[in-house]
Amino acid sequence: MQHGKYRFIVGFLALPLAMYALFVVWPFIQSIYYSFTDWTGLSPEFQAVGFGNYRRMLEDAIFWKSLQHSLWLVLLLPLVTLGLALFFAFMINVGGRRRKNAVVAGVRGSSFYKIAYFFPQVLSIAIVALLFQFAFNPNDGMINSALAAVGLDHVQPNWLGDPDLALYCVMAVLVWSTVGFFVVLFSAGMASIPRDFYEAALLDGAGRFTTFFRITLPLLWDTVQSGWVYMGILALGAEAFATVQIMTVGPGGPDYSTTVLPLYVYQTAFRDGQAAYATTIGVALLIVTLAFAAIVMRLGRRERLEF
Amino acid sequence: MGSTSARTDGDGFGRRDLIKRSAALGLITVPTMSLLSACASGGGGSTDKVEKGKITKDNPLGVNETAPLDVVIFDGGFGQQYAIDAEKKYNAAFPKAPKVKHSATQKIQSTLQPRFNGGTPPDLIDNSGAEQMDMGVLVGKKQLLDLTPLMDAPAVDDPDKKVRDTLRPGVLEMGQFDGDPVWVMYYAYTVYGVWYSQTALDKLDAEYPQTWDAMLALCEKAKKRGIAGWTYPGKFPYYLPFSLYPFIAKIGGREVLDRIDNLEPNAWKDPAVKAAFEAYYELYKKGYILQGTPGMTHIQSQTAWTKGKALFIPNGSWVENEAAPTTPEDFRMKVAAPSGLDASDKMPFGTIWASGGEPFIVPAKAKNPEGGMELLRIMLSEDSSRNFTKQVKSLTAFNGGTDGLQLSTALQSAVDALAKAGQNVVNPRLQDWYVKLQKEQIGVAGLGEMMAGRATPAETIKKIQAFADAAAKDPSIKHYKHQ
């Protein structure tokens, strides 16, 4: 059965690969090409300008600010989201008190929590951002009204209008809308860990803390790693763009405190009519994304357990 | 449950090999794809225009009577019915032409960019809304048709008058970018200024304040009753210039604004700018700005305003329609020119900012450009103008057309404000010449920070001057000057 195998595989792969090349690889190559021109995006005429756009990018303070915010999102978002998701998933599946008929069980009402956490995933990110825009309204929004209701009348932050808080408001929305997905993902992973491992650990007198770090996390490592890549791409891509574009001052403000790379690409291309410079920033974004994936894959490489 | 790692044992090949080989296959596929897929910015250059028709008294632009006409309208706050009505008149005037091809969209740029790039744009475009195409770039890249023939054509209502003589002040100049050619015809006419509720002022036994001292006194009076003096869209602080720029012009004369528009060195360091900034900053310092304003959208601030939480809001005449859902019956919305600073102001009270909106363009590569201009000529008749005002409660570029119409309080106050202003209508151009400078840099990074109390007027002026200097030096921005 050895011969004909290649032909068999090629037969399956040719079409998807061709589509991938046409709709993913080719646009990448095109945009790299455009980054060396002065194309406006509004007329078919353009000229090659060499490295002009790249030189301009390196001197562009707003580009560096956007890069800094994007990197900050890439570091913090996965950490917070996955940390929370792991905690929730552990509590739902393993963290509960011991009951008579089961060795490990979730906290009381865990099946309800599972659905409640997943719920935001059903809403599109644009709707979530719009909802939180109302919640963050400093004058009569939900959050400040709640603060006033518990007697904190003098603590009425401007939230999105405050440069020190705005980026964290955006992060909070992204965490809120994505954490549920990872709770479900990790729950599925945890459910497949054999119960006897936990049983053995309990017999040895391990507490919840030890059980989590010695058993759950190592056996879940592959899932966490893919979650990390997924969250990072989300923090560099469309979701971060949508929340910043819809929610923030300007958008990107106040005073550039929330601008991120995809937003800067969008503004440069479609507001300023400088498509070529926008593709240059896009190339920078591509490099950041690739570097991020490479680092995560390398750091995350561990021995795998088979069970 | 099994392993997630690649198996490399014995015969057959593992997943990793498979990936390697398929990647190689992908590399071969890429170059061949280039033959199949068309280049995004390719094409261009086809100029199969329709033949020009005979110029007659009824057809001064020489429209080809049988040629089709392709129109794209921005389907926003003004809707599209007014254009459809005008198109019907076009078809009535040219019965041999096929029915005008009408399409309406909110996504002007995504719909039309490929057509511009491909060299097949429509004949008339209402280039408006959030996805407006940058007109500076379109002009710079010679994508637009000079509308001078339209401006010199006789008006529909009075053949002895040229179209250019029937327009409101400033409209024609707005369509010019560098020299005489008119690239853009702004159809709607917007009045900017300080918006308020007459009812709210009546409750405070107050008149609209004509000087800044009176303004501060009124704000103080309101504050004592728990009402804020001002609010503004903190998330889009570029609304502040709607009353701030005419205020600057009133203090220091319209040359100050012209110098600012021309990006002249130290234009922002003019004493009039400083005085105006300090006056506005005082609103913040004395606590006359509604709490939470820096974090509010335009809708949120307008709603707070219609609920009576604040007296004044800088805005444009679209606010009447936009705030209608939350406006109480007895609100009596009005607009006024900005209060002056004191008696030494260079321009009289009433100096106001008014300018064109809804920019209509005829692409240079349109197939039937005469048809596009003729439709604009029809739209600029008194009848069409009245129809527009009746439908969408906004003035048009046509000077007049409101007599005998039952106007709302807000629209009537705009008409009155324009009458009071007379020739003292200013028209700052930053927001159409340098969008990024106006909105993101002056608006968000400059005024927004100042009005939130995070920067002093002096710091703000320095910051804005630096932005303006950078824009003046930036070779990737096209620069314009007042004529």
Side-chain angles (χ1 to χ4, degrees):
Chain A
M1 249 327 272
Q2 199 55 296
H3 78 282
K5 195 157 161 190
Y6 288 105
R7 216 183 305 160
F8 178 72
I9 290 167
V10 165
F12 269 107
L13 282 180
L15 188 64
L17 274 177
M19 305 239 309
Y20 182 78
L22 178 59
F23 293 112
V24 180
V25 179
W26 180 238
F28 271 123
I29 293 171
Q30 269 191 326
S31 54
I32 292 171
Y33 165 64
Y34 286 133
S35 72
F36 292 101
T37 68
D38 64 352
W39 186 39
T40 57
L42 291 170
S43 95
E45 284 111 41
F46 57 85
Q47 284 167 344
V49 294
F51 281 91
N53 286 322
Y54 288 89
R55 267 196 297 275
R56 179 178 161 198
M57 183 169 77
L58 295 178
E59 288 164 13
D60 186 346
I62 305 305
F63 164 73
W64 288 109
K65 227 170 213 183
S66 311
L67 180 65
Q68 193 190 331
H69 293 147
S70 280
L71 290 180
W72 191 225
L73 284 181
V74 162
L75 284 178
L76 216 57
L77 261 187
L79 202 66
V80 175
T81 313
L82 299 184
L84 274 176
L86 272 174
F87 173 72
F88 290 144
F90 184 74
M91 293 314 278
I92 284 174
N93 291 289
V94 191
R97 266 171 221 284
R98 282 188 73 181
R99 265 164 245 156
K100 266 184 201 145
N101 46 2
V103 186
V104 284
V107 295
R108 205 177 290 270
S110 58
S111 52
F112 168 75
Y113 289 129
K114 220 184 264 185
I115 293 170
Y117 287 138
F118 192 72
F119 196 69
Q121 193 66 29
V122 187
L123 302 172
S124 100
I125 189 73
I127 291 170
V128 170
L130 216 55
L131 281 177
F132 271 89
Q133 170 155 306
F134 290 111
F136 280 127
N137 179 350
N139 191 258
D140 50 10
M142 189 185 82
I143 300 175
N144 274 3
S145 301
L147 283 177
V150 297
L152 290 166
D153 303 47
H154 52 284
V155 188
Q156 297 276 295
N158 281 330
W159 298 117
L160 292 162
D162 185 333
D164 299 328
L165 293 177
L167 192 60
Y168 297 102
C169 294
V170 172
M171 279 193 207
V173 172
L174 284 171
V175 169
W176 185 85
S177 66
T178 48
V179 76
F181 173 75
F182 291 103
V183 170
V184 172
L185 187 72
F186 294 155
S187 293
M190 282 177 196
S192 70
I193 297 172
R195 303 264 131 170
D196 25 337
F197 288 13
Y198 287 109
E199 214 167 27
L202 285 169
L203 283 175
D204 287 344
R208 276 188 234 186
F209 193 76
T210 331
T211 321
F212 177 77
F213 281 101
R214 293 291 171 84
I215 294 179
T216 314
L217 193 55
L219 291 175
L220 213 59
W221 192 249
D222 272 2
T223 321
V224 173
Q225 197 185 346
S226 11
W228 198 283
V229 175
Y230 180 82
M231 258 332 267
I233 289 171
L234 187 143
L236 286 169
E239 276 82 359
F241 165 76
T243 35
V244 170
Q245 163 83 4
I246 293 169
M247 285 171 53
T248 64
V249 171
D255 204 12
Y256 302 108
S257 60
T258 54
T259 177
V260 287
L261 281 178
L263 179 78
Y264 197 40
V265 171
Y266 174 81
Q267 289 179 329
T268 313
F270 298 110
R271 182 193 58 193
D272 305 341
Q274 301 178 357
Y277 185 46
T279 56
T280 312
I281 305 163
V283 171
L285 184 58
L286 172 69
I287 292 167
V288 172
T289 315
L290 289 178
F292 168 77
I295 291 169
V296 171
M297 293 320 245
R298 189 145 293 266
L299 286 184
R301 192 169 292 164
R302 284 194 178 186
E303 282 212 19
R304 278 164 185 155
L305 294 162
E306 297 202 12
F307 51 86
Chain B
M1 261 330 258
S3 148
T4 52
S5 62
R7 282 172 201 277
T8 45
D9 52 331
D11 59 347
F13 53 79
R15 204 169 56 180
R16 193 159 291 166
D17 296 280
L18 183 61
I19 290 169
K20 269 186 208 155
R21 281 168 201 174
S22 44
L25 185 69
L27 285 178
I28 302 164
T29 328
V30 172
T32 52
M33 276 300 135
S34 63
L35 297 170
L36 296 173
S37 75
C39 175
S41 59
S46 68
T47 46
D48 42 351
K49 287 197 189 307
V50 300
E51 251 175 69
K52 234 178 136 169
K54 233 173 89 188
I55 294 180
T56 62
K57 197 167 75 62
D58 292 328
N59 186 5
L61 290 163
V63 178
N64 181 327
E65 293 186 15
T66 56
L69 183 66
D70 185 353
V71 179
V72 177
I73 296 294
F74 170 68
D75 189 12
F78 292 141
Q80 47 171 311
Q81 188 56 43
Y82 72 94
I84 295 173
D85 292 344
E87 285 157 14
K88 278 183 197 144
K89 283 187 187 158
Y90 179 92
N91 275 127
F94 302 101
K96 283 185 221 151
K99 189 170 178 295
V100 175
K101 186 171 169 254
H102 171 96
S103 59
T105 175
Q106 295 201 359
K107 300 200 166 294
I108 290 291
Q109 175 136 18
S110 12
T111 317
L112 293 178
Q113 194 162 345
R115 295 186 65 180
F116 270 96
N117 277 325
T120 55
D123 302 313
L124 182 66
I125 301 164
D126 173 11
N127 181 25
S128 189
E131 276 207 22
Q132 185 179 62
M133 291 176 288
D134 189 305
M135 257 138 355
V137 175
L138 286 175
V139 172
K141 289 284 171 185
K142 306 205 174 1
Q143 292 292 312
L144 300 186
L145 190 78
D146 178 10
L147 301 178
T148 304
L150 165 69
M151 294 301 159
D152 289 333
V156 172
D157 304 301
D158 182 356
D160 297 333
K161 258 191 183 171
K162 288 178 178 173
V163 168
R164 66 168 74 229
D165 299 324
T166 64
L167 302 179
R168 289 187 186 273
V171 174
L172 186 112
E173 289 73 24
M174 276 189 80
Q176 297 173 325
F177 281 73
D178 38 12
D180 289 331
V182 183
W183 302 111
V184 187
M185 175 66 230
Y186 287 87
Y187 186 61
Y189 198 68
T190 305
V191 178
Y192 304 90
V194 182
W195 292 76
Y196 61 96
S197 150
Q198 186 62 48
T199 312
L201 289 197
D202 287 350
K203 277 186 197 153
L204 290 165
D205 298 319
E207 296 273 300
Y208 179 79
Q210 298 206 5
T211 66
W212 200 249
D213 285 338
M215 170 60 83
L216 293 177
L218 177 55
C219 289
E220 184 62 37
K221 199 170 175 184
K223 193 184 177 188
K224 284 194 181 118
R225 302 224 192 143
I227 303 169
W230 284 61
T231 187
Y232 61 89
K235 282 201 180 163
F236 313 109
Y238 42 84
Y239 274 58
L240 285 162
F242 296 155
S243 60
L244 183 63
Y245 285 177
F247 187 37
I248 292 172
K250 183 176 180 330
I251 299 169
R254 66 170 84 226
E255 315 78 62
V256 184
L257 288 186
D258 284 356
R259 281 199 293 272
I260 286 174
D261 283 348
N262 291 345
L263 301 181
E264 285 176 27
N266 295 323
W268 287 90
K269 304 218 163 134
D270 194 281
V273 176
K274 189 160 178 278
F277 275 35
E278 276 168 358
Y280 270 51
Y281 189 60
E282 212 166 353
L283 293 174
Y284 162 77
K285 270 206 311 207
K286 295 201 162 147
Y288 298 154
I289 306 266
L290 179 69
Q291 179 270 326
T293 294
M296 286 153 92
T297 64
H298 54 305
I299 300 292
Q300 288 166 351
S301 62
Q302 282 160 196
T303 306
W305 171 66
T306 52
K307 277 185 188 167
K309 291 185 182 180
L311 289 181
F312 302 108
I313 188 168
N315 225 316
S317 35
W318 61 83
V319 67
E320 182 187 9
N321 247 339
E322 203 170 53
T326 61
T327 309
E329 282 281 321
D330 61 344
F331 193 71
R332 286 158 70 209
M333 189 184 292
K334 280 189 178 177
V335 60
S339 319
L341 192 64
D342 53 40
S344 66
D345 288 354
K346 293 234 174 78
M347 292 176 84
F349 177 71
T351 301
I352 204 164
W353 179 358
S355 71
E358 298 299 296
F360 277 77
I361 50 176
V362 179
K365 288 183 183 146
K367 290 204 170 54
N368 185 8
E370 293 83 18
M373 286 197 279
E374 176 65 17
L375 183 60
L376 271 179
R377 196 173 76 97
I378 293 171
M379 286 167 64
L380 287 168
S381 66
E382 178 160 9
D383 196 34
S384 296
S385 167
R386 187 192 298 271
N387 184 33
F388 181 82
T389 306
K390 208 158 61 187
Q391 279 178 13
V392 302
K393 302 190 183 64
S394 165
L395 301 173
T396 71
F398 177 80
N399 200 353
T402 54
D403 302 335
L405 276 183
Q406 185 68 36
L407 299 182
S408 66
T409 330
L411 196 53
Q412 185 61 49
S413 79
V415 173
D416 294 346
L418 284 176
K420 184 167 173 55
Q423 285 305 304
N424 296 317
V425 173
V426 292
N427 188 2
R429 302 301 305 279
L430 282 178
Q431 68 176 6
D432 34 275
W433 286 352
Y434 311 108
V435 179
K436 178 179 178 175
L437 177 67
Q438 165 74 5
K439 291 191 167 175
E440 180 182 307
Q441 301 183 322
I442 297 172
V444 178
L447 297 173
E449 292 300 288
M450 182 180 88
M451 293 308 279
R454 293 188 290 260
T456 64
E459 286 163 4
T460 307
I461 288 170
K462 214 175 128 197
K463 195 172 177 183
I464 291 177
Q465 185 63 57
F467 283 136
D469 291 344
K473 268 190 249 135
D474 189 344
S476 57
I477 299 175
K478 190 162 165 49
H479 297 100
Y480 306 97
K481 291 254 186 288
H482 276 277
Q483 299 301 315

PDB file of all heavy atoms in Angstrom, chain B residues 18 20 44 57 65 102 107 150 168 170 182 199 245 269 274 375 404 413 436 466:
ATOM      1  N   LEU B  18       4.395  15.105   6.738  1.00  0.00           N
ATOM      2  CA  LEU B  18       3.289  15.468   5.872  1.00  0.00           C
ATOM      3  C   LEU B  18       3.188  16.985   5.753  1.00  0.00           C
ATOM      4  O   LEU B  18       3.046  17.531   4.664  1.00  0.00           O
ATOM      5  CB  LEU B  18       1.992  14.903   6.473  1.00  0.00           C
ATOM      6  CG  LEU B  18       0.738  15.145   5.647  1.00  0.00           C
ATOM      7  CD1 LEU B  18       0.889  14.490   4.286  1.00  0.00           C
ATOM      8  CD2 LEU B  18      -0.466  14.615   6.371  1.00  0.00           C
ATOM      9  N   LYS B  20       5.583  19.136   6.245  1.00  0.00           N
ATOM     10  CA  LYS B  20       6.726  19.644   5.466  1.00  0.00           C
ATOM     11  C   LYS B  20       6.453  19.537   3.988  1.00  0.00           C
ATOM     12  O   LYS B  20       6.657  20.470   3.221  1.00  0.00           O
ATOM     13  CB  LYS B  20       7.967  18.809   5.788  1.00  0.00           C
ATOM     14  CG  LYS B  20       8.784  19.365   6.935  1.00  0.00           C
ATOM     15  CD  LYS B  20      10.064  18.553   7.058  1.00  0.00           C
ATOM     16  CE  LYS B  20      10.557  18.566   8.487  1.00  0.00           C
ATOM     17  NZ  LYS B  20      11.389  17.391   8.808  1.00  0.00           N
ATOM     18  N   GLY B  44      -7.397  49.946 -14.872  1.00  0.00           N
ATOM     19  CA  GLY B  44      -7.334  51.400 -14.984  1.00  0.00           C
ATOM     20  C   GLY B  44      -7.516  51.809 -16.426  1.00  0.00           C
ATOM     21  O   GLY B  44      -7.835  51.010 -17.289  1.00  0.00           O
ATOM     22  N   LYS B  57     -30.752  75.458 -25.118  1.00  0.00           N
ATOM     23  CA  LYS B  57     -31.161  76.278 -23.990  1.00  0.00           C
ATOM     24  C   LYS B  57     -31.594  75.388 -22.821  1.00  0.00           C
ATOM     25  O   LYS B  57     -31.291  75.673 -21.664  1.00  0.00           O
ATOM     26  CB  LYS B  57     -32.302  77.201 -24.396  1.00  0.00           C
ATOM     27  CG  LYS B  57     -32.510  78.361 -23.436  1.00  0.00           C
ATOM     28  CD  LYS B  57     -33.426  79.413 -24.023  1.00  0.00           C
ATOM     29  CE  LYS B  57     -34.905  79.005 -24.026  1.00  0.00           C
ATOM     30  NZ  LYS B  57     -35.490  78.760 -22.716  1.00  0.00           N
ATOM     31  N   GLU B  65     -28.589  62.598 -24.775  1.00  0.00           N
ATOM     32  CA  GLU B  65     -29.976  62.347 -24.370  1.00  0.00           C
ATOM     33  C   GLU B  65     -30.321  60.878 -24.242  1.00  0.00           C
ATOM     34  O   GLU B  65     -31.373  60.524 -23.708  1.00  0.00           O
ATOM     35  CB  GLU B  65     -30.934  63.011 -25.371  1.00  0.00           C
ATOM     36  CG  GLU B  65     -30.827  64.516 -25.306  1.00  0.00           C
ATOM     37  CD  GLU B  65     -31.857  65.198 -26.182  1.00  0.00           C
ATOM     38  OE1 GLU B  65     -32.813  64.532 -26.611  1.00  0.00           O
ATOM     39  OE2 GLU B  65     -31.690  66.402 -26.425  1.00  0.00           O
ATOM     40  N   HIS B 102     -29.823  53.883  -9.982  1.00  0.00           N
ATOM     41  CA  HIS B 102     -29.653  54.463  -8.649  1.00  0.00           C
ATOM     42  C   HIS B 102     -29.225  53.378  -7.677  1.00  0.00           C
ATOM     43  O   HIS B 102     -29.799  52.308  -7.633  1.00  0.00           O
ATOM     44  CB  HIS B 102     -30.990  55.058  -8.200  1.00  0.00           C
ATOM     45  CG  HIS B 102     -31.021  55.489  -6.768  1.00  0.00           C
ATOM     46  ND1 HIS B 102     -30.785  56.783  -6.385  1.00  0.00           N
ATOM     47  CD2 HIS B 102     -31.247  54.791  -5.631  1.00  0.00           C
ATOM     48  CE1 HIS B 102     -30.873  56.861  -5.072  1.00  0.00           C
ATOM     49  NE2 HIS B 102     -31.151  55.672  -4.590  1.00  0.00           N
ATOM     50  N   LYS B 107     -21.702  52.184   2.771  1.00  0.00           N
ATOM     51  CA  LYS B 107     -20.301  51.822   2.647  1.00  0.00           C
ATOM     52  C   LYS B 107     -19.756  52.402   1.355  1.00  0.00           C
ATOM     53  O   LYS B 107     -19.490  51.674   0.402  1.00  0.00           O
ATOM     54  CB  LYS B 107     -20.151  50.309   2.670  1.00  0.00           C
ATOM     55  CG  LYS B 107     -20.690  49.718   3.957  1.00  0.00           C
ATOM     56  CD  LYS B 107     -20.111  48.340   4.195  1.00  0.00           C
ATOM     57  CE  LYS B 107     -20.333  47.861   5.585  1.00  0.00           C
ATOM     58  NZ  LYS B 107     -19.618  48.631   6.594  1.00  0.00           N
ATOM     59  N   LEU B 150     -20.653  73.287 -14.633  1.00  0.00           N
ATOM     60  CA  LEU B 150     -21.918  73.312 -13.914  1.00  0.00           C
ATOM     61  C   LEU B 150     -22.127  74.671 -13.249  1.00  0.00           C
ATOM     62  O   LEU B 150     -23.214  75.254 -13.319  1.00  0.00           O
ATOM     63  CB  LEU B 150     -21.937  72.192 -12.861  1.00  0.00           C
ATOM     64  CG  LEU B 150     -23.028  72.289 -11.796  1.00  0.00           C
ATOM     65  CD1 LEU B 150     -24.396  72.038 -12.398  1.00  0.00           C
ATOM     66  CD2 LEU B 150     -22.780  71.296 -10.666  1.00  0.00           C
ATOM     67  N   ARG B 168     -25.314  79.358  -1.371  1.00  0.00           N
ATOM     68  CA  ARG B 168     -25.086  80.023  -0.086  1.00  0.00           C
ATOM     69  C   ARG B 168     -23.592  80.360   0.073  1.00  0.00           C
ATOM     70  O   ARG B 168     -22.744  79.744  -0.570  1.00  0.00           O
ATOM     71  CB  ARG B 168     -25.517  79.102   1.061  1.00  0.00           C
ATOM     72  CG  ARG B 168     -27.022  78.931   1.153  1.00  0.00           C
ATOM     73  CD  ARG B 168     -27.396  78.147   2.403  1.00  0.00           C
ATOM     74  NE  ARG B 168     -28.824  77.856   2.416  1.00  0.00           N
ATOM     75  CZ  ARG B 168     -29.748  78.663   2.907  1.00  0.00           C
ATOM     76  NH1 ARG B 168     -29.393  79.822   3.418  1.00  0.00           N
ATOM     77  NH2 ARG B 168     -31.026  78.336   2.889  1.00  0.00           N
ATOM     78  N   GLY B 170     -19.818  80.517   0.846  1.00  0.00           N
ATOM     79  CA  GLY B 170     -18.795  79.561   1.243  1.00  0.00           C
ATOM     80  C   GLY B 170     -18.887  78.201   0.583  1.00  0.00           C
ATOM     81  O   GLY B 170     -17.930  77.437   0.606  1.00  0.00           O
ATOM     82  N   VAL B 182     -13.526  73.693  -9.383  1.00  0.00           N
ATOM     83  CA  VAL B 182     -14.427  73.278  -8.313  1.00  0.00           C
ATOM     84  C   VAL B 182     -14.563  71.760  -8.392  1.00  0.00           C
ATOM     85  O   VAL B 182     -15.100  71.227  -9.355  1.00  0.00           O
ATOM     86  CB  VAL B 182     -15.815  73.937  -8.479  1.00  0.00           C
ATOM     87  CG1 VAL B 182     -16.721  73.550  -7.331  1.00  0.00           C
ATOM     88  CG2 VAL B 182     -15.667  75.442  -8.570  1.00  0.00           C
ATOM     89  N   THR B 199     -36.568  76.357  26.413  1.00  0.00           N
ATOM     90  CA  THR B 199     -37.341  76.069  27.622  1.00  0.00           C
ATOM     91  C   THR B 199     -36.441  76.061  28.852  1.00  0.00           C
ATOM     92  O   THR B 199     -36.781  76.632  29.892  1.00  0.00           O
ATOM     93  CB  THR B 199     -38.036  74.706  27.472  1.00  0.00           C
ATOM     94  OG1 THR B 199     -38.679  74.663  26.195  1.00  0.00           O
ATOM     95  CG2 THR B 199     -39.053  74.489  28.566  1.00  0.00           C
ATOM     96  N   TYR B 245     -14.033  77.399  17.134  1.00  0.00           N
ATOM     97  CA  TYR B 245     -13.383  78.070  16.000  1.00  0.00           C
ATOM     98  C   TYR B 245     -14.049  79.415  15.675  1.00  0.00           C
ATOM     99  O   TYR B 245     -13.351  80.429  15.519  1.00  0.00           O
ATOM    100  CB  TYR B 245     -13.340  77.155  14.771  1.00  0.00           C
ATOM    101  CG  TYR B 245     -12.304  76.048  14.840  1.00  0.00           C
ATOM    102  CD1 TYR B 245     -12.189  75.100  13.828  1.00  0.00           C
ATOM    103  CD2 TYR B 245     -11.414  75.950  15.913  1.00  0.00           C
ATOM    104  CE1 TYR B 245     -11.244  74.077  13.887  1.00  0.00           C
ATOM    105  CE2 TYR B 245     -10.475  74.934  15.982  1.00  0.00           C
ATOM    106  CZ  TYR B 245     -10.393  73.998  14.967  1.00  0.00           C
ATOM    107  OH  TYR B 245      -9.464  72.991  15.018  1.00  0.00           O
ATOM    108  N   LYS B 269      -0.399  80.183  18.043  1.00  0.00           N
ATOM    109  CA  LYS B 269       0.087  80.985  19.174  1.00  0.00           C
ATOM    110  C   LYS B 269      -0.529  82.380  19.186  1.00  0.00           C
ATOM    111  O   LYS B 269      -0.157  83.228  19.988  1.00  0.00           O
ATOM    112  CB  LYS B 269       1.620  81.073  19.124  1.00  0.00           C
ATOM    113  CG  LYS B 269       2.251  79.686  19.113  1.00  0.00           C
ATOM    114  CD  LYS B 269       3.513  79.578  19.929  1.00  0.00           C
ATOM    115  CE  LYS B 269       3.854  78.133  20.207  1.00  0.00           C
ATOM    116  NZ  LYS B 269       5.251  77.816  19.972  1.00  0.00           N
ATOM    117  N   LYS B 274      -5.351  81.796  22.342  1.00  0.00           N
ATOM    118  CA  LYS B 274      -5.063  81.650  23.768  1.00  0.00           C
ATOM    119  C   LYS B 274      -6.273  82.093  24.597  1.00  0.00           C
ATOM    120  O   LYS B 274      -6.700  81.397  25.528  1.00  0.00           O
ATOM    121  CB  LYS B 274      -3.837  82.507  24.106  1.00  0.00           C
ATOM    122  CG  LYS B 274      -3.307  82.296  25.494  1.00  0.00           C
ATOM    123  CD  LYS B 274      -1.851  82.783  25.566  1.00  0.00           C
ATOM    124  CE  LYS B 274      -1.292  82.632  26.969  1.00  0.00           C
ATOM    125  NZ  LYS B 274      -1.660  83.722  27.859  1.00  0.00           N
ATOM    126  N   LEU B 375     -27.719  66.334 -13.270  1.00  0.00           N
ATOM    127  CA  LEU B 375     -28.531  65.914 -12.125  1.00  0.00           C
ATOM    128  C   LEU B 375     -28.274  66.857 -10.946  1.00  0.00           C
ATOM    129  O   LEU B 375     -29.209  67.247 -10.236  1.00  0.00           O
ATOM    130  CB  LEU B 375     -28.215  64.464 -11.740  1.00  0.00           C
ATOM    131  CG  LEU B 375     -29.058  63.902 -10.592  1.00  0.00           C
ATOM    132  CD1 LEU B 375     -30.542  63.931 -10.937  1.00  0.00           C
ATOM    133  CD2 LEU B 375     -28.654  62.472 -10.254  1.00  0.00           C
ATOM    134  N   GLY B 404     -42.293  79.921   3.018  1.00  0.00           N
ATOM    135  CA  GLY B 404     -43.556  79.207   2.932  1.00  0.00           C
ATOM    136  C   GLY B 404     -43.500  77.803   3.485  1.00  0.00           C
ATOM    137  O   GLY B 404     -44.495  77.094   3.500  1.00  0.00           O
ATOM    138  N   SER B 413     -34.331  78.519  13.856  1.00  0.00           N
ATOM    139  CA  SER B 413     -33.273  79.245  14.563  1.00  0.00           C
ATOM    140  C   SER B 413     -31.992  79.252  13.733  1.00  0.00           C
ATOM    141  O   SER B 413     -31.236  80.224  13.749  1.00  0.00           O
ATOM    142  CB  SER B 413     -33.018  78.633  15.946  1.00  0.00           C
ATOM    143  OG  SER B 413     -32.234  77.478  15.849  1.00  0.00           O
ATOM    144  N   LYS B 436      -7.034  63.917   9.833  1.00  0.00           N
ATOM    145  CA  LYS B 436      -6.324  63.349  10.970  1.00  0.00           C
ATOM    146  C   LYS B 436      -5.907  64.447  11.945  1.00  0.00           C
ATOM    147  O   LYS B 436      -6.086  64.319  13.154  1.00  0.00           O
ATOM    148  CB  LYS B 436      -5.098  62.585  10.468  1.00  0.00           C
ATOM    149  CG  LYS B 436      -4.268  61.994  11.562  1.00  0.00           C
ATOM    150  CD  LYS B 436      -3.087  61.238  10.972  1.00  0.00           C
ATOM    151  CE  LYS B 436      -2.217  60.682  12.078  1.00  0.00           C
ATOM    152  NZ  LYS B 436      -1.136  59.857  11.533  1.00  0.00           N
ATOM    153  N   ALA B 466       2.685  71.895  17.531  1.00  0.00           N
ATOM    154  CA  ALA B 466       3.648  70.869  17.088  1.00  0.00           C
ATOM    155  C   ALA B 466       3.001  69.928  16.078  1.00  0.00           C
ATOM    156  O   ALA B 466       3.611  69.561  15.069  1.00  0.00           O
ATOM    157  CB  ALA B 466       4.166  70.084  18.291  1.00  0.00           C
TER     158      ALA B 466
END
